[in-house]
Amino acid sequence: PEFISKTLTHWTGRDKPDSEAFQIIENIIKTKKLFLTYCPNYPNLPDNRQIRTMMVCFTDIPLHLSQEHCARFGKFGIGFSKEKMTQY
């Protein structure tokens, strides 16, 4: 389908200036490591507590449809083959 990519992309830069987001991508490339961070979309529990989970997030939104996503989560990303990542 045209709305799903064969690539999983990890975007960086949510709520960060472009220079810092770019440094994160450079660090990922240099170290060959993705680092866990707290999920920004955690649910609120009935007693107003929040569950915070550390993870690495990916999207399979095709690049030509990713403008809205990037506006929220950052415009610097690194892509991986979905097939290979699923096997991994």
Side-chain angles (χ1 to χ4, degrees), residues 1-35:
E2 65 183 70
F3 299 110
I4 299 173
S5 174
K6 293 181 181 180
T7 301
L8 293 175
T9 304
H10 173 68
W11 297 99
T12 67
R14 179 183 172 109
D15 300 326
K16 292 180 175 36
D18 286 350
S19 59
E20 190 175 336
F22 187 75
Q23 286 177 340
I24 293 168
I25 285 294
E26 284 186 315
N27 191 38
I28 290 169
I29 293 168
K30 287 177 186 175
T31 64
K32 299 179 183 177
K33 293 180 183 178
L34 296 172
F35 298 93

Side-chain angles (χ1 to χ4, degrees), residues 50-65:
Q50 293 179 330
I51 298 173
R52 293 183 49 132
T53 304
M54 293 194 79
M55 62 179 62
V56 175
C57 296
F58 298 93
T59 182
D60 62 358
I61 301 169
L63 289 179
H64 71 279
L65 297 173

Side-chain angles (χ1 to χ4, degrees), residues 38-77:
Y38 283 107
C39 175
N41 301 323
Y42 38 84
N44 287 325
L45 298 174
D47 59 2
N48 290 326
R49 286 184 302 127
Q50 293 179 330
I51 298 173
R52 293 183 49 132
T53 304
M54 293 194 79
M55 62 179 62
V56 175
C57 296
F58 298 93
T59 182
D60 62 358
I61 301 169
L63 289 179
H64 71 279
L65 297 173
S66 62
Q67 184 175 0
E68 185 178 330
H69 183 85
C70 292
R72 183 167 181 203
F73 294 99
K75 63 182 179 182
F76 297 100

